[in-house]
Amino acid sequence: MRLFRPGPAVPHHTKIPSALTSFVDEVYATFSGLLAYAAALALFGGLAVYLWQQLPDATAAGPATVSWSPAGRSAPAFAIGQSDPIYKTKTYEIFRHPEGGRKDVFRWTGTEPDATAELELYRPGGEQPEPAAAAIAGQLDPAQPRELEAAGIIDSKFGSVALLRPEPRDGGRTCLAFLKQVETPNLRISGWTCQGDSLPAQRAAIGCMLNRLTLLAVGNDPKLAELFARAELKRRDCAPSGQPALSSDWVMGSENPKLRGPL
């Protein structure tokens, strides 16, 4: 009788390590996926925080990029006749704002390199205008703007014009600024002069500058043409050098006006 020798028995416990290994591998893979997911969330979260912190700076810097730019191809709209021989050169520049504003700027220089006088005609568009006093102070002294104080008024063909004087500074130039706001049409006439060594001389220079201002082109603004047409009816000859171009009304006088009539 042939005997059959049974083979070695396969222990049942050999299946346990393989199942345990598979479970460990699954746990490791799941943990690795969760770790990668958490790292990605942390990365996106940090990026979002950084962008949020930069948002105020970008918002604040945004309007600054929309500013005035020279308009070299625009035709001159104004002119100043009979320039005073004391001025060496005169420049005329036009600036435009993307929102529709326009500035026509006259500048005069004498023997010194610094500007001696400036006249700006500002017609606002849709932009937010800068306060007039701040704008004039920046034009007069771009490096260190000074506060302006009232210095009386003068009469011109455009009516009364407010005078402004910067705070005195040791060793600085003595200048006098002016401002005329016209509501219809919306026009701001401003500027300053450092011509003359006395207040009456500077008042006369400003009055003469405004009386010599003329309109060249109307464009699409008939109210501007009407303003200058009426102003020309009130035009007067410039006063002699050093004499104030004033109204006959004592209110328009110098810092110490004299009352009329006996007391």
Side-chain angles (χ1 to χ4, degrees), residues 23-257:
F23 176 75
V24 172
D25 291 341
E26 290 179 2
V27 171
Y28 179 76
T30 303
F31 180 76
S32 299
L34 290 175
L35 184 62
Y37 182 72
L41 287 179
L43 178 62
F44 283 111
L47 181 61
V49 171
Y50 173 78
L51 294 177
W52 179 263
Q53 292 176 347
Q54 297 299 318
L55 182 60
D57 296 337
T59 303
T65 60
V66 182
S67 59
W68 295 89
S69 59
R73 296 185 178 181
S74 297
F78 306 95
I80 298 286
Q82 302 178 356
S83 297
D84 195 321
I86 193 173
Y87 297 124
K88 184 178 180 181
T89 59
K90 178 182 71 174
T91 60
Y92 182 12
E93 295 179 290
I94 301 172
F95 300 90
R96 286 190 177 275
H97 194 276
E99 297 295 332
R102 170 170 169 153
K103 292 181 179 180
D104 293 70
V105 183
F106 293 87
R107 290 190 182 94
W108 293 268
T109 57
T111 56
E112 300 295 332
D114 295 335
T116 307
E118 182 173 308
L119 170 63
E120 178 184 285
L121 297 105
Y122 172 35
R123 287 178 281 175
E127 73 280 359
Q128 182 65 32
E130 182 181 6
I136 297 173
Q139 297 165 6
L140 184 58
D141 195 349
Q144 296 179 336
R146 291 174 282 173
E147 293 291 334
L148 300 177
E149 59 182 13
I153 57 177
I154 61 171
D155 193 19
S156 72
K157 68 179 184 179
F158 298 102
S160 59
V161 178
L163 299 178
L164 304 169
R165 183 166 46 195
E167 293 179 346
R169 178 182 296 168
D170 295 339
R173 297 185 299 173
T174 302
C175 304
L176 188 64
F178 61 92
L179 171 64
K180 174 64 177 180
Q181 182 66 54
V182 182
E183 295 184 359
T184 305
N186 192 0
L187 173 67
R188 188 172 77 191
I189 306 174
S190 63
W192 49 269
T193 182
C194 299
Q195 176 189 356
D197 298 329
S198 62
L199 179 61
Q202 292 177 344
R203 292 165 65 97
I206 292 174
C208 194
M209 181 192 304
L210 294 176
N211 281 325
R212 288 173 175 171
L213 178 63
T214 58
L215 181 65
L216 294 179
V218 177
N220 297 324
D221 195 349
K223 294 182 180 180
L224 183 64
E226 182 181 355
L227 171 67
F228 273 80
R230 291 182 178 180
E232 286 300 311
L233 299 177
K234 303 176 183 178
R235 172 189 262 204
R236 297 180 301 172
D237 294 334
C238 291
S241 178
Q243 298 295 325
L246 304 175
S247 167
S248 59
D249 192 339
W250 67 271
V251 178
M252 301 290 187
S254 187
E255 290 182 320
N256 299 312

Side-chain angles (χ1 to χ4, degrees), residues 15-25:
K15 296 181 179 181
I16 298 177
S18 60
L20 181 61
T21 301
S22 299
F23 176 75
V24 172
D25 291 341

Side-chain angles (χ1 to χ4, degrees), residues 4-19:
F4 293 93
R5 183 175 298 176
V10 179
H12 295 284
H13 65 272
T14 56
K15 296 181 179 181
I16 298 177
S18 60

